[in-house]
Amino acid sequence: MKKQLTCWFFCFLFSGVLSAQGLKSWSVEPTLHFGRIIKHSPKLTFDITEFSYGADVNFLYQTYGKREWNQLQRYPLLGIALTYYRLGDPDLIGSAYGILPNINIPIKSPKNWKFYFQMGTGVAYLTQEFSELNNPTYNAIGSHVNTIAKFAFTASHRINNFWVLNGGLDLTHYSNGGSHLPNFGLNIPAISVGARYEPRPVPRKEYMDYEITKEAIKKFGFTAHFALGYRERIISGGPSYPVYIGSVGALYYLNRVNRLIGGVEYEFNKGVYDFGIHTFQFTSESEARRKSSRVMVYLADEFLFGNWSVTVLAGAYTGRFAQINFPIYNKLITRYYFPPIKDKVRMHVGLYLKSHIVIAEYIGIGVGFSL
């Protein structure tokens, strides 16, 4: 409770700073969350006896048309949040502290109301982790440092020129992407309530509207990337092995800020290769390489926010490969695009989180291009 009061104190302190400096379009939004960890796998060996509650302070910037994509994406709110969650029993599950960059996309805007879809991903520190000696039943997370991802639907109601009340439903996910075992991850559905203080809001009449069309200039394109991830093998504290990822895909532009991608991915899992060789599961070098490789087909939807993008991807494995028990996988991808080369080719760097439903397999970092 003291930590929550501290968060509220600093957010109101920051509100005063905003008001004093007169930062146009900036705001601060403290929010409380109340939920409970869900047991998403029968392999989780610990009991969930307490509810989870948290608080965050989100520092937000209301886009109002300085870039054309602001208008095309309905003038979203860009934010970076400081987060705290008391996950459960402090001696078993502990708490989580995080930094969460996020984007809030308006869905509908009737008078004095706004509905948003929020998505964000960042980094978090968890106070408890699996330990064979000190915490052997807590097999959800094998490391203190993890990624945090959040998805939320919120409704906001403006009560005056400076204050906006909000409430909604959200899902928070903690995972290390398999870099340290165990890694079943934590999933927390919750309800939320909060308030946003806007010392200098931008009236809708001051938004910069451009005479532009949302229709894409072209309909088709091509993209490719190479990425590298790491995954710990077999047991906690075991060796980590690389996963090499390559992908090619065809682009179809739904409009200037949204495009579909369909293609083929290839993975080579060095951990599967070495484990199979050392345990004599493979009878030859060619069999080891073949069964340690994976070929997948996928369909993705990429949302563009200027030079940044967020992609949700679903794919399926083709054929039978070693240690693949579930045929479907999904990815959450964040990319940054560099200025175009000769007005055609755009290089990018990306962060890739691959999961099987809600259990992460790896986190990868990659480079690529699109045209």
Side-chain angles (χ1 to χ4, degrees), residues 119-323:
M119 52 185 172
T121 182
V123 63
Y125 178 86
L126 275 60
T127 59
Q128 294 289 355
E129 63 176 355
F130 169 80
S131 170
E132 292 181 349
L133 295 177
N134 301 319
N135 204 0
T137 62
Y138 180 54
N139 66 335
I141 295 289
S143 64
H144 286 299
V145 178
N146 291 263
T147 61
I148 174 177
K150 179 183 173 185
F151 302 92
F153 288 97
T154 60
S156 297
H157 178 65
R158 180 172 293 279
I159 58 175
N160 57 40
N161 290 336
F162 304 103
W163 286 97
V164 177
L165 299 180
N166 66 68
L169 302 173
D170 57 69
L171 174 67
T172 303
H173 173 74
Y174 296 97
S175 170
N176 62 39
S179 59
H180 295 281
L181 296 179
N183 182 55
F184 290 103
L186 295 173
N187 296 288
I188 311 169
I191 59 175
S192 67
V193 60
R196 183 166 73 248
Y197 175 65
E198 302 177 343
R200 284 195 61 194
V202 181
R204 181 61 182 86
K205 63 183 180 180
E206 293 185 17
Y207 283 24
M208 302 177 188
D209 292 318
Y210 301 90
E211 293 183 2
I212 55 176
T213 175
K214 203 171 183 179
E215 185 177 349
I217 299 174
K218 63 178 182 178
K219 282 296 184 181
F220 297 95
F222 175 82
T223 186
H225 74 261
F226 170 80
L228 177 66
Y230 277 88
R231 179 171 176 81
E232 196 169 76
R233 291 288 302 166
I234 308 301
I235 61 171
S236 177
S240 293
Y241 291 92
V243 180
Y244 302 97
I245 308 108
S247 173
V248 295
L251 303 173
Y252 177 76
Y253 287 79
L254 298 173
N255 52 56
R256 292 175 60 184
V257 292
N258 188 203
R259 58 193 186 185
L260 297 177
I261 310 173
V264 178
E265 289 194 299
Y266 168 82
E267 291 179 352
F268 179 75
N269 192 313
K270 189 65 163 52
V272 174
Y273 174 86
D274 284 357
F275 181 77
I277 289 290
H278 292 151
T279 57
F280 302 102
Q281 289 188 7
F282 306 135
T283 59
S284 65
E285 176 79 11
S286 60
E287 182 187 9
R289 291 193 173 277
R290 184 175 69 255
K291 291 191 175 181
S292 302
S293 300
R294 306 170 183 175
V295 179
M296 304 93 81
V297 294
Y298 71 88
L299 182 65
D301 197 353
E302 184 175 26
F303 303 90
L304 303 169
F305 305 93
N307 294 328
W308 291 93
S309 78
V310 176
T311 304
V312 290
L313 178 151
Y317 297 98
T318 64
R320 298 177 61 87
F321 306 109
Q323 300 185 11

Side-chain angles (χ1 to χ4, degrees), residues 18-86:
L18 285 179
S19 181
Q21 293 183 348
L23 297 179
K24 183 179 180 180
S25 197
W26 284 90
S27 61
V28 60
E29 183 179 74
T31 304
L32 297 177
H33 306 269
F34 180 78
R36 189 183 179 96
I37 295 172
I38 58 173
K39 267 197 170 184
H40 57 274
S41 171
K43 295 181 180 180
L44 292 172
T45 57
F46 60 97
D47 294 324
I48 301 169
T49 60
E50 299 183 17
F51 287 96
S52 303
Y53 58 85
D56 62 61
V57 181
N58 202 6
F59 303 106
L60 293 159
Y61 176 77
Q62 173 65 65
T63 60
Y64 57 94
K66 286 189 174 182
R67 299 289 186 271
E68 286 187 355
W69 70 266
N70 298 170
Q71 178 180 335
L72 295 173
Q73 290 287 14
R74 301 187 295 277
Y75 305 101
L77 281 162
L78 308 179
I80 182 165
L82 304 179
T83 70
Y84 165 77
Y85 238 119
R86 186 186 186 278

